[in-house]
Amino acid sequence: MSFIDNHPLRGAFVANQLERLAALIVAQGEDLLRDGGVQFPSRAASTVLLIGEEGEIAVADIAKTLTQPHQLVTQRIELLMDLGLVKRASDPEDGRRKIVVLTAKGGEQYRRLKARLVQARAAFAALFEEIGGDLPALILRAMDALNERPLTQRVAAAKRVGA
C-alpha cells in the first residue's frame, strides 16, 4: 500500500493505481510466459500473436492493427528477428513492400504463447470473479466515458452542482 491508497483523495489518483496494477501484471506476465517456455518478452506478445494469426503481415499493418507507433513495432520486430522468431520477406504482390513472417522457431513460440494465453485468460476470469467485476470491460467503459466527457467538463459540472 502506498500513501495514496489510503488517502481520502485516492479517487483522484486512478492513473497511479492503474500504472502500478499494469506494472504488477507485466511482471507476473513475464514470469507466466517464461514458465510456459515462451522465450521473448511479454511486451512482444501481441505482435507475435498477430503475426501468427495473420501468417504474414507488413510492419505498418501491425502498427495500425495494434494501435502502436510504427517505430515501436519496428523495434519489436528487430528484437524478434534477433531471437530468430521472425523474418522479413518480400510481399508476393508488391516486391517493394516487406512483410514479416514467423520462422519455424517463431511458430513453435507462437503455439506456446497461445497455450499460455488461454491459461492466462482463465486465470484472469477467476480474478475478475474474485474482485466482482470485469476489469477490461470497466476500463473500456471508463475510456469511452472520458473521451465523451473529459475530466475538465466533469469538474466544471461538479462545481455547478456544488455551488
Side-chain angles (χ1 to χ4, degrees), residues 90-129:
S90 293
D91 186 330
E93 296 178 17
D94 181 354
R96 297 167 296 173
R97 185 172 179 219
K98 297 295 182 196
I99 56 174
V100 182
V101 298
L102 293 175
T103 62
K105 180 180 177 184
E108 179 266 327
Q109 284 291 294
Y110 164 71
R111 287 184 289 283
R112 287 178 182 262
L113 171 66
K114 278 202 65 166
R116 211 50 165 165
L117 291 176
V118 168
Q119 295 166 344
R121 179 181 58 199
F124 276 115
L127 172 65
F128 301 150
E129 188 167 321

Side-chain angles (χ1 to χ4, degrees), residues 43-80:
R43 68 182 182 272
S46 60
T47 303
V48 172
L49 182 66
L50 180 59
I51 297 167
E53 291 187 356
E54 292 295 318
E56 58 182 45
I57 188 169
V59 173
D61 293 333
I62 295 171
K64 182 179 176 184
T65 302
L66 297 178
T67 61
Q68 296 176 341
H70 189 277
Q71 182 179 7
L72 177 65
V73 172
T74 299
Q75 291 170 353
R76 291 204 176 129
I77 294 300
E78 292 296 327
L79 168 70
L80 295 170

